[in-house]
Amino acid sequence: MSDSKDKIVLFEGVKVRHIWDEEAEKWWFSVVDICAALTDSDYQKSRNYWKWLKNKLNTEGSELVSNTNQLKMQASDGKLYNTDVMDTEQVLRLIQSIPSKKAEPFKLWLAKVGNERIDEMIDPEQSINRAIQNYRCLGYSENWINQRIKSIEVRKALTDEWDKSGVKVGREYAALTDLMSRTWSGMSTREYKQFKGLKKENLRDNMTNMELILNMLAEAAATEISTVEQPEGFNESARVAKRGANTAKVARKQLEKETGKPAVSRLNAKESGQRRLPDGSEGGGE
C-alpha cells in the first residue's frame, strides 16, 4: 500500500480521500466522502446516509456492500480510523445507487460507454478507430500512434497463440507477460511501471518508440516460435515466451552498445516527446 494515506481529490469542492494500492494497482476511495460529495451533506450526515444505503443495498441483494473493503484513513482530527473504501469500478456502481443531480453526468457517461462497447462488439473496427481518436485527443504524435496500434496487433497474435496452447486468460497471461518483460527489459511489468513513475496508467501508452519496438520484437518472435513448435500448456508456452523475449534482449544489448545509452527510459510518453507540442508539431525523442 502507498504511504500517501492523506491524499485527497476534489469532487465539486468536496474532499475525497483516496489511497493507491501498489499490490493491486488500484485506487481506493472513501465511501463516506463520495456520499458527502453527491448528497451535499456533512460528514455525520453522509455517514448516516451510507449506513442507510448499505441496509437498502443488502435488502436488494446487491453484492456491492459485501465487497466493500476497509482501510485506515486520516480523519479531520488527524487520527487514522478504519474507513469503508471502494475501488473505481465499485464507486461507479455506487454512484448509480444514489439519486443525485451530481451523479447524473456519471450515469449518462456510463450509458454512453455501455452503448459504445456494444457497438464495438458488433463491429470491432470501431474500437480501433476510437482508440486512434482517443490517442489523438490525448496529444500523442501520429508516429507514436501508428506504432502503438501495430503493437496491439502483435499482442493479439501472441495471445491467440496462448489461447491455442491452453494458457488461461488472467493470471497465466499476466505471468507470461511478466516473464517476457523481465527477460528483455530486466524488469517485471510492475517494476517497469514503477521505474517510469506510473500507477494506474497503461505501461505501453508510456513507452518510447524504441521501447515499443523492442516489446513488439519480443512478442512477435514468441509468436513465430509458437506457431512452429505448437507448445501445449503454460509451462511449454513459458519456455517459448522466454526465448522470444530473449531475441529482444539481444537486440536491446546491441543497441545500447552502439548508442552508449540505455534503451529503456524512465521517461513517459509525454516527457520523451511522443506527444504533440503546443503549436501542433510533433516532439522528437525515441
Side-chain angles (χ1 to χ4, degrees):
M1 192 73 64
S2 172
D3 292 332
S4 53
K5 293 183 180 291
D6 58 346
K7 281 201 169 184
I8 57 174
V9 292
L10 291 178
F11 187 102
E12 295 291 324
V14 179
K15 296 177 180 179
V16 178
R17 291 166 294 169
H18 67 294
I19 298 175
W20 173 252
D21 188 335
E22 294 282 0
E23 186 66 25
E25 294 190 336
K26 64 170 66 175
W27 288 105
W28 293 104
F29 299 88
S30 165
V31 180
V32 172
D33 292 356
I34 294 291
C35 290
L38 293 176
T39 60
D40 282 325
S41 57
D42 59 29
Y43 181 75
Q44 187 57 48
K45 287 182 179 179
S46 60
R47 281 188 65 191
N48 293 335
Y49 181 84
W50 172 229
K51 186 182 296 184
W52 170 83
L53 185 58
K54 280 197 289 188
N55 291 330
K56 179 176 181 290
L57 292 171
N58 279 329
T59 301
E60 294 173 350
S62 172
E63 296 181 356
L64 184 60
V65 175
S66 60
N67 291 333
T68 302
N69 199 357
Q70 273 204 339
L71 295 172
K72 286 190 178 297
M73 285 188 162
Q74 190 175 44
S76 57
D77 62 5
K79 297 180 181 179
L80 297 176
Y81 297 96
N82 282 330
T83 305
D84 285 345
V85 294
M86 291 181 177
D87 62 20
T88 305
E89 180 180 352
Q90 292 170 322
V91 168
L92 290 173
R93 290 173 61 192
L94 174 68
I95 287 172
Q96 297 177 73
S97 303
I98 299 177
S100 166
K101 291 181 179 179
K102 290 185 177 181
E104 195 59 28
F106 288 94
K107 294 177 182 178
L108 292 173
W109 174 76
L110 287 171
K112 180 175 181 291
V113 170
N115 183 63
E116 289 176 350
R117 178 58 180 155
I118 292 173
D119 289 343
E120 289 170 1
M121 291 174 67
I122 297 172
D123 182 7
E125 186 177 343
Q126 289 191 32
S127 64
I128 298 174
N129 293 333
R130 186 167 286 117
I132 292 173
Q133 290 304 316
N134 287 339
Y135 284 130
R136 283 174 178 161
C137 289
L138 289 170
Y140 285 96
S141 71
E142 291 299 319
N143 288 336
W144 185 94
I145 293 173
N146 292 336
Q147 201 80 282
R148 182 68 178 95
I149 296 302
K150 183 64 179 178
S151 75
I152 295 173
E153 178 187 336
V154 171
R155 173 70 177 182
K156 177 65 167 55
L158 177 59
T159 55
D160 285 346
E161 282 298 309
W162 287 350
D163 288 340
K164 287 193 298 183
S165 301
V167 176
K168 297 176 183 177
V169 176
R171 184 170 296 179
E172 291 189 348
Y173 265 42
L176 292 183
T177 302
D178 267 353
L179 172 64
M180 295 185 70
S181 177
R182 191 178 291 108
T183 299
W184 80 259
S185 73
M187 294 176 284
S188 67
T189 304
R190 179 174 297 170
E191 291 167 343
Y192 207 155
K193 291 179 72 172
Q194 291 174 341
F195 179 73
K196 283 183 172 287
L198 306 175
K199 286 185 169 66
K200 193 67 175 177
E201 302 93 330
N202 185 290
L203 175 59
R204 297 174 195 230
D205 285 351
N206 285 277
M207 285 183 172
T208 64
N209 276 334
M210 184 53 64
E211 288 172 303
L212 280 175
I213 290 169
L214 290 170
N215 195 65
M216 280 193 288
L217 174 58
E219 295 187 333
T223 301
E224 287 297 311
I225 298 171
S226 181
T227 56
V228 172
E229 300 195 358
Q230 297 293 302
E232 295 184 6
F234 175 80
N235 290 334
E236 290 185 12
S237 294
R239 286 191 284 270
V240 168
K242 187 169 185 177
R243 288 163 58 195
N246 193 59
T247 303
K249 177 183 178 180
V250 172
R252 176 177 69 84
K253 292 289 188 181
Q254 183 61 35
L255 176 64
E256 290 174 342
K257 181 180 178 181
E258 295 291 341
T259 62
K261 63 179 183 178
V264 176
S265 173
R266 285 186 179 274
L267 302 180
N268 58 37
K270 182 178 181 179
E271 294 168 335
S272 63
Q274 300 307 311
R275 295 182 189 252
R276 294 191 188 93
L277 300 175
D279 62 0
S281 62
E282 295 184 1
E286 294 186 345

